[in-house]
Amino acid sequence: AITRVHGRQVLDSRGNPTVEVDVELADGSLGRAAVPSGASTGTNEAVELRDGDPARYHGKGVRKAVAAVNGEIAEALLGVDARAQSEVDRTMVELDGTPNKARLGANATLGVSLAVAKAAAAAHRQPLYRYVGGVYAHLLPMPMMNIINGGAHADNAIDFQEFMIAPVGAESFADAVRIGSEVFHTLRATLRAAGHNTNVGDEGGFAPNLNSADEALEFVVAAIEKSGYTPGEDVAVLLDPAASEFYVDGVYDYRGEGRKRSVEEHVEYLAELVRRFPIVSIEDPMAQDDIAGWKLVTQALGDRCQLVGDDVFCTNAALLSEGIDAGIANSILVKVNQIGTLTEMLLTANTAFKAGYTVVMSHRSGETEDTTIADLAVATGCGQIKTGSLSRSDRTAKYNQLIRIEEELGSQARYAGSGSLS
Ligand code: PGA
Ligand code: ZN
């Protein structure tokens, strides 16, 4: 049974406060989890409770969420069996009483939810991926590695937020990390040789001052080739335009490029990029409010390309179900803090699997040293993880955890590769 629930305020990778929770069980088992935080958030995400006190952390403190953990939530959960994860999560949802965790904060509920799961796994003397995923958990996800950062994640003129690579042809997860690292370092050299800066953005990818998505894609493909790999065959390319960020008054405003594209022109531009570059997946190609655009892009590209809904679904099973009925996207990005409990995240993932949608486990642009999502990617067997670039410990911590899991699984382990895309 749960004997202690203790929250505290710690820092995330952007230097902002976030919630960390320790859970202790009667047998002494411990679980600890820290909560991530987004920058380009969807409007329907569960609420990340911030104090709003300008005198502390510029209003970004999370002392209210921590107080909820140490007060109401702890009171409700003391004595509860940590193995009853769905009961733990339901108790917090009901205690909160709002549809979007606005009262206690999804940062409070998520920290507790994940820490309870980790404590229960420890009590079972099992790694988290095994405890949550059961005996069949053996699939190592294909990583989507974000090597050029733009949009809200960098101070440059690139309109799209993320330019990613995926080592589809790797033999193992560790091999995928090696390939990703080689391409990352080759990209640094080619950017530097072309006179661009090689400072990194929030997710550890480079943030050069390039003028367009075209130019960024040319650098990425050249880096794959120069590293000795065949674009498309060995290493595929993936995009997250995060289009909600530049959808203004019904058009897509490419401020970096200095031009606007209508919904139709924007879809045609994406289709052109898919023709010209080995792009296998596009996340948030359209804005969360542009459902007509989402339908258009799904009809235009859905048979050729994984179309991942992030802002439009917000890891919410009800929103995903609406999207499935409307025929938009064919994949969902799953971020635990968008919904606020492990149980609800798993429900959303299962809703996607049943509908034949693929699932991508994802970090946030604000992360911590917590590696829970690495385990959850293996636990769900979703086959894909998006957790940033090949630099910055908040990103590589997840890759390193997956390397450990692969090693531990030994001959049971299987690397998802391109099979996970459909
Ligand atoms: P965020 O970005 O964590 O800043 O929301 C990640 C994404 O858009 O996928
Ligand atoms: Zn996204």
Side-chain angles (χ1 to χ4, degrees):
I2 297 170
T3 53
R4 184 167 182 258
V5 177
H6 178 72
R8 67 175 68 83
Q9 187 166 261
V10 297
L11 289 184
D12 74 10
S13 59
R14 275 194 279 252
N16 292 324
T18 190
V19 178
E20 178 173 88
V21 177
D22 291 352
V23 165
E24 200 175 324
L25 309 185
D27 69 352
S29 298
L30 289 171
R32 171 175 292 167
V35 176
S37 172
S40 62
T41 49
T43 46
N44 290 313
E45 293 192 14
V47 172
E48 178 184 85
L49 196 62
R50 298 263 176 206
D51 298 339
D53 172 3
R56 300 181 65 93
Y57 284 117
H58 301 274
K60 292 192 168 169
V62 292
R63 294 206 295 184
K64 285 181 191 163
V66 167
V69 171
N70 295 335
E72 281 187 68
I73 294 177
E75 219 169 279
L77 293 183
L78 289 181
V80 172
D81 186 345
R83 290 168 302 185
Q85 184 74 39
S86 57
E87 188 191 327
V88 165
D89 290 342
R90 186 166 11 91
T91 300
M92 288 192 287
V93 168
E94 285 169 6
L95 188 65
D96 173 77
T98 71
N100 56 357
K101 303 185 178 66
R103 199 176 72 78
L104 299 174
N107 40 354
T109 61
L110 181 68
V112 174
S113 182
L114 296 180
V116 166
K118 289 163 99 171
H124 281 83
R125 292 187 167 61
Q126 283 183 337
L128 186 66
Y129 69 86
R130 170 80 58 220
Y131 171 68
V132 175
V135 292
Y136 296 107
H138 70 289
L139 192 63
L140 273 293
M142 178 186 76
M144 302 179 161
M145 299 154 152
N146 180 9
I147 58 175
I148 294 186
N149 297 185
H153 292 170
D155 290 325
N156 56 22
I158 307 176
D159 296 297
F160 290 2
Q161 181 177 280
E162 302 173 20
F163 297 81
M164 296 172 279
I165 54 168
V168 286
E171 279 165 17
S172 65
F173 185 83
D175 196 40
V177 168
R178 175 185 60 81
I179 292 168
S181 165
E182 289 169 8
V183 174
F184 175 74
H185 288 289
T186 306
L187 177 61
R188 183 205 299 271
T190 52
L191 285 169
R192 187 172 285 165
H196 294 290
N197 88 59
T198 52
N199 298 332
V200 297
D202 283 358
E203 297 188 351
F206 300 113
N209 243 323
L210 305 178
N211 295 316
S212 65
D214 270 63
E215 210 185 336
L217 283 165
E218 267 154 28
F219 269 103
V220 168
V221 170
I224 295 169
E225 281 169 348
K226 276 190 195 144
S227 304
Y229 300 109
T230 306
E233 226 168 275
D234 299 320
V235 182
V237 176
L238 311 87
L239 295 176
D240 180 3
S244 304
E245 299 291 316
F246 59 99
Y247 180 64
V248 186
D249 296 332
V251 298
Y252 289 88
D253 186 2
Y254 287 62
R255 284 170 293 241
E257 272 187 54
R259 60 170 293 185
K260 294 183 166 85
R261 290 184 170 91
S262 70
V263 173
E264 291 74 20
E265 286 166 345
H266 173 67
V267 170
E268 180 42 44
Y269 178 57
L270 293 175
E272 181 198 318
L273 293 179
V274 170
R275 281 194 295 275
R276 287 172 47 212
F277 300 99
I279 296 169
V280 296
S281 177
I282 308 177
E283 178 184 328
D284 283 358
M286 314 305 286
Q288 59 201 343
D289 301 326
D290 184 14
I291 300 300
W294 259 109
K295 283 183 189 162
L296 194 64
V297 79
T298 306
Q299 281 153 16
L301 290 175
D303 60 341
R304 258 169 295 162
C305 199
Q306 177 173 269
L307 299 171
V308 189
D310 171 11
D311 289 352
V312 72
F313 298 146
C314 289
T315 315
N316 183 308
L319 291 177
L320 172 62
S321 296
E322 279 175 33
I324 292 166
D325 290 344
I328 65 170
N330 53 30
S331 178
I332 180 173
L333 199 76
V334 163
K335 292 165 162 168
V336 275
N337 84 318
Q338 281 185 327
I339 192 69
T341 64
L342 178 59
T343 303
E344 290 165 287
M345 181 282 278
L346 292 172
L347 173 70
T348 302
N350 282 329
T351 304
F353 291 138
K354 270 188 222 144
Y357 278 41
T358 57
V359 172
V360 181
M361 193 62 56
S362 173
H363 67 164
R364 299 309 303 250
S365 53
E367 268 294 331
T368 68
E369 64 272 32
D370 184 291
T371 60
T372 308
I373 60 164
D375 282 70
L376 295 180
V378 177
T380 56
C382 66
Q384 299 182 63
I385 190 168
K386 179 172 104 152
T387 188
S389 183
L390 290 306
S391 81
R392 296 184 54 142
S393 298
D394 38 305
R395 312 299 145 183
T396 57
K398 281 71 163 175
Y399 294 131
N400 292 343
Q401 173 68 358
L402 285 162
I403 288 172
R404 291 180 205 111
I405 293 174
E406 184 170 67
E407 181 184 86
E408 186 173 280
L409 285 168
S411 60
Q412 267 192 76
R414 196 162 66 76
Y415 172 62
S418 64
S420 61
L421 287 162
S422 53

